[in-house]
Amino acid sequence: LGQFLEGADFSDTLTLGYLYGYLGISWKKLRLLLSAFPLWTTNNLDPGWEILQRGPVRSSLKRHSLDYLRQRLQIRPSDVYKMIKTHTRLSTYDAATKILPTLDKLQRSLGLRNSELRQLILRMPSVIGMGTSEKDGGEPSAFDQRLDFFQNEAGMSIKELKEAVLKQPSLIHYGIDSSLRPKLDFFLRELGIPHEHIGRIIHTSPAIMGLALTDTLRPKVASIMKLCALHPYEVGMMVAVSPPTLFLSQKGKIEPALKYLAIALSLDEPRDLGELVLKAPRLLRQGLETSLMKKIDLIAEALPPTNMEDSKRVAADILRQNPALFDTSNAVITERIDRCVDAGKDVAQYLLPSTKGRKKLFQLPTREMGDPIFMSSIATFDSSLLKIYPDAASSAKEMGLKRADIVKACTNGLPLDGHYFSSLMYPCEVKSKSLSASTADTTKTISVSMFCSGGIYPSDSVEATRGQSTTGGFAIQITSEGTEETRLLFEMSNAANKCFGIRVPLGRERSGDKLLTVFPLVNPSRNRCDLFSCASALRVLEAFLATKRKDIQLSYDIKVHTDSTYVWKFVRDQERLMSLGSCFTSQEMLSRLDVTDGSSFNVDILHPLARSFSRLNGQEEPPQSKNHRPVYNSRVNFCSSFDGKLQPREIKTLKELGKSAAMWQFNREKSFVPK
């Protein structure tokens, strides 16, 4: 009965114990009773230590506020407990002056049914804290301003907005000037999407409005442009047709899929690949192994008997001519092929495109489009993209510069007015710098790769109440090139035993190259587990190299790979990471990052990671450090797991192992009963 009694008053536990022990009512019947009557139990007014440590909260919860919330939403004490754990200020809200008018305004303005209001509040309790009353001086409330933005600026109907908010409750929390309006400008001006399609994009994929512009949306668009030789307006057409394309991982999905298609379909020119993608914009959402590769195999196997290489060449030619087949499910293609074979028709002719097809949402401008310009605050252009311009003239006009100056900055790679510029025609080339001393005179270099992945259990979902208890875990896979790999893995495993309090058993898969353990810190989340897996990999390396730092005959070239976009954002600029590693305290690091709150940076994990990275690359320790020493015979770099070292299937397996470690810990905690 734990799910019913979490957050309930102690008297409810005694009552149920009496019903079971003295009246003989079975646990099954008690569960049915509590499911049918969620208001039968009462809330515990003591918030408990877990809630008290999370933020501002009353020492004793308000009975009338909690009772009203439960009656209005028909929820159990456990739901209220999770809501307060997620949004502690909920404990301070008054039922009559805050909770009731806010829920009424939300339900009336968005046309929500009672069940939909319950779903919205359970997913994001902080919505109750949003301002819904008119401000002094007649200024509209924060909620009314967002409502006006979505209706009048984004062109959405109330029905579309309601459905979008139910998918992504944080949509009505985003700041208008800081988040919503800049993204609207990005879609309209940088991607050239007509205004009438903006509402559909937000309606079908509302989470897009929460993605970072400079570090997520623009880099993904730029990646597609470069690999496919597309203009930003052409990528805009792809986004209008298939908005979820912008959710795909740049390193894990977009780039591997495009590179595979270029090779498999013999598309030598990037523009040929671009034309293919424009004909079937949804194909990037297909799985690489389960869909894109599979379709080539399905068609090749259905062709007249010949050698497999020739069959795949013909299959590739069919898919080049009819890329819409990539958007079709494997089952439908198999059915079409079987129907064709049964009718005695030629499969190659049968699968060619017909004259029918979907009507284009909109036409691109008929005028000739110029060479697009990228503007960034850093010279590498792999992040911090500040703007994508349709051509040099547009960027010069907005920046108040001459067009010739923009073109010159693109070719020489030098900053102009504090910004770097690049174009598809003249990409900026930047020479990489070594992070550690040269090891040219060492006699032997050992290459080590570590692949890191984290996971949580249970996974977050639309149906689950936010604030549910979760556990975290992570997996690290180690590979090495050389004849002494077995010994190295054994020593790495021993080093891991010194670093990790709990090692999760691998079960049947007794592979010595994998380390599984649980997330030991508070507030497990997928991002925190992914970041901690990389920090833990560096800890294992430090423990492994502790006895080898004096061996000048050996040097270690180590690559630490992450499959997380969140982690990659922090570690890809490795010179910056070295700079952060010189900070002895986390507060010093925060001041260098120019922030006061380290929660969004997970500084409790990022700071140890940067410090370890600094030491492993031979950087001298700060004067205050007494217990650590730099390692001079190692060189550590961070990489993306999707650089080709591992197959997509192996990356997925590692991610599943990280989640299995979290599940192992969840079941372990669930089954633990104090004696």
Side-chain angles (χ1 to χ4, degrees), residues 82-313:
K82 293 170 185 174
M83 289 167 63
I84 296 177
K85 190 164 68 171
T86 302
H87 183 58
T88 56
R89 292 187 184 276
L90 181 61
S91 65
T92 65
Y93 296 157
D94 184 76
T97 60
K98 183 63 178 175
I99 299 177
L100 185 148
T102 301
L103 295 183
D104 283 349
K105 183 67 177 282
L106 284 169
Q107 192 163 15
R108 184 174 60 253
S109 300
L110 296 176
L112 298 169
R113 299 194 300 269
N114 290 337
S115 59
E116 292 171 333
L117 178 65
R118 177 179 181 273
Q119 175 188 337
L120 172 63
I121 300 302
L122 288 179
R123 287 292 300 141
M124 181 153 282
S126 57
V127 168
I128 299 177
M130 183 172 53
T132 55
S133 302
E134 190 176 90
K135 300 178 183 178
D136 295 338
E139 184 183 352
S141 66
F143 176 71
D144 287 328
Q145 290 179 34
R146 293 182 177 95
L147 206 64
D148 178 74
F149 171 84
F150 287 114
Q151 286 185 279
N152 297 323
E153 294 189 43
M156 299 179 71
S157 65
I158 287 295
K159 181 176 182 296
E160 289 175 328
L161 180 57
K162 181 187 83 169
E163 293 173 354
V165 168
L166 289 175
K167 291 179 189 175
Q168 185 76 12
S170 57
L171 188 64
I172 51 176
H173 257 322
Y174 298 144
I176 294 178
D177 293 326
S178 61
S179 181
L180 297 176
R181 196 164 283 136
K183 293 185 180 72
L184 180 64
D185 184 75
F186 168 72
F187 290 130
L188 291 173
R189 299 181 183 278
E190 297 183 43
L191 299 188
I193 300 175
H195 186 272
E196 58 267 24
H197 297 290
I198 300 299
R200 175 183 172 274
I201 292 174
I202 301 175
H203 173 229
T204 57
S205 303
I208 283 181
M209 304 304 283
L211 298 178
L213 264 179
T214 57
D215 291 329
T216 303
L217 290 175
R218 287 193 185 105
K220 288 179 181 179
V221 170
S223 179
I224 297 173
M225 290 171 59
K226 292 173 182 176
L227 290 173
C228 300
L230 293 177
H231 191 274
Y233 291 173
E234 293 175 310
V235 179
M237 187 180 74
M238 290 176 55
V239 171
V241 174
S242 178
T245 299
L246 292 181
F247 292 143
L248 304 177
S249 168
Q250 178 184 340
K251 296 289 185 181
K253 192 69 182 282
I254 294 174
E255 292 179 0
L258 290 175
K259 290 174 182 177
Y260 167 76
L261 289 171
I263 295 171
L265 303 186
S266 300
L267 300 171
D268 299 328
E269 295 296 328
R271 184 63 197 183
D272 294 336
L273 179 61
E275 295 289 350
L276 179 96
V277 173
L278 287 176
K279 291 177 182 176
R282 298 174 181 83
L283 68 82
L284 288 179
R285 292 158 54 185
Q286 306 297 321
L288 183 55
E289 293 185 339
T290 59
S291 182
L292 299 181
M293 293 181 180
K294 185 70 174 175
K295 286 178 173 62
I296 293 179
D297 292 338
L298 286 174
I299 296 174
E301 291 168 2
L303 295 172
T306 181
N307 65 70
M308 184 53 67
E309 186 176 342
D310 289 340
S311 296
K312 286 194 173 184
R313 193 178 298 114

Side-chain angles (χ1 to χ4, degrees), residues 620-672:
E620 294 298 328
E621 283 287 272
Q624 307 96 310
S625 178
K626 305 297 182 184
N627 301 321
H628 298 286
R629 290 180 296 164
V631 180
Y632 297 109
N633 60 341
S634 68
R635 182 177 185 272
V636 179
N637 284 313
F638 277 104
C639 307
S640 169
S641 293
F642 304 99
D643 62 359
K645 284 266 187 177
L646 287 184
Q647 295 297 319
R649 187 188 299 107
E650 295 176 293
I651 298 173
K652 184 178 179 182
T653 299
L654 197 64
K655 176 67 75 177
E656 291 171 349
L657 283 174
K659 186 174 181 178
S660 71
M663 188 187 301
W664 181 86
Q665 178 68 2
F666 182 86
N667 293 330
R668 185 169 174 265
E669 291 180 0
K670 190 176 180 181
S671 61
F672 176 74

Side-chain angles (χ1 to χ4, degrees), residues 32-64:
L32 288 173
L33 175 68
L34 294 172
S35 298
F37 301 99
L39 302 180
W40 192 65
T41 52
T42 57
N43 272 97
N44 188 351
L45 299 184
D46 180 10
W49 70 270
E50 189 176 4
I51 291 179
L52 287 171
Q53 68 163 346
R54 287 177 176 261
V57 63
R58 287 175 58 92
S59 57
S60 179
L61 305 180
K62 294 181 178 181
R63 169 75 68 189
H64 65 284

Side-chain angles (χ1 to χ4, degrees), residues 395-667:
S395 61
K397 182 178 180 181
E398 182 170 312
M399 297 291 294
L401 301 169
K402 295 180 180 179
R403 181 184 179 280
D405 293 335
I406 298 291
V407 174
K408 185 178 179 181
C410 290
T411 56
N412 61 27
L414 297 176
L416 179 64
D417 201 20
H419 300 100
Y420 292 90
F421 294 86
S422 179
S423 70
L424 290 183
M425 186 179 298
Y426 303 110
C428 179
E429 296 182 3
V430 180
K431 296 180 180 180
S432 60
K433 297 180 181 179
S434 175
L435 291 177
S436 62
S438 173
T439 58
D441 56 347
T442 57
T443 58
K444 185 177 180 182
T445 300
I446 298 176
S447 298
V448 179
S449 294
M450 303 181 78
F451 298 87
C452 309
S453 188
I456 60 168
Y457 186 84
S459 301
D460 195 18
S461 67
V462 175
E463 290 76 20
T465 304
R466 196 172 183 185
Q468 63 179 339
S469 297
T470 58
T471 54
F474 61 90
I476 300 174
Q477 180 173 338
I478 305 169
T479 63
S480 176
E481 299 175 5
T483 56
E484 299 182 359
E485 181 181 17
T486 303
R487 179 177 177 81
L488 183 141
L489 293 176
F490 176 76
E491 292 180 355
M492 282 281 195
S493 181
N494 287 339
N497 288 334
K498 299 176 184 177
C499 300
F500 305 144
I502 300 176
R503 289 278 296 273
V504 179
L506 278 163
R508 294 181 180 179
E509 191 176 354
R510 300 180 181 276
S511 176
D513 66 340
K514 295 185 179 67
L515 308 173
L516 255 69
T517 187
V518 300
F519 181 77
L521 305 181
V522 296
N523 304 332
S525 67
R526 189 176 64 181
N527 287 341
R528 284 175 61 79
C529 289
D530 282 326
L531 187 61
F532 190 78
S533 69
C534 291
S536 298
L538 298 185
R539 284 179 59 204
V540 171
L541 285 173
E542 283 199 273
F544 167 72
L545 294 171
T547 60
K548 304 178 185 297
R549 65 177 73 241
K550 295 181 180 180
D551 192 346
I552 61 174
Q553 299 300 315
L554 287 177
S555 72
Y556 293 86
D557 183 20
I558 302 164
K559 302 281 193 299
V560 179
H561 302 253
T562 176
D563 60 5
S564 167
T565 303
Y566 171 81
V567 176
W568 184 242
K569 176 178 67 176
F570 290 119
V571 302
R572 61 187 166 197
D573 188 349
Q574 302 191 26
E575 289 188 11
R576 174 173 171 265
L577 196 60
M578 288 285 282
S579 173
L580 295 177
S582 65
C583 301
F584 183 67
T585 66
S586 57
Q587 287 302 317
E588 186 183 350
M589 173 186 282
L590 288 177
S591 65
R592 190 165 297 188
L593 290 169
D594 198 25
V595 294
T596 54
D597 179 18
S599 58
S600 60
F601 286 85
N602 286 305
V603 72
D604 59 325
I605 304 175
L606 182 60
H607 180 249
L609 182 150
R611 296 279 288 113
S612 293
F613 183 79
S614 167
R615 289 191 293 268
L616 287 166
N617 280 297
Q619 182 165 277
E620 294 298 328
E621 283 287 272
Q624 307 96 310
S625 178
K626 305 297 182 184
N627 301 321
H628 298 286
R629 290 180 296 164
V631 180
Y632 297 109
N633 60 341
S634 68
R635 182 177 185 272
V636 179
N637 284 313
F638 277 104
C639 307
S640 169
S641 293
F642 304 99
D643 62 359
K645 284 266 187 177
L646 287 184
Q647 295 297 319
R649 187 188 299 107
E650 295 176 293
I651 298 173
K652 184 178 179 182
T653 299
L654 197 64
K655 176 67 75 177
E656 291 171 349
L657 283 174
K659 186 174 181 178
S660 71
M663 188 187 301
W664 181 86
Q665 178 68 2
F666 182 86
N667 293 330

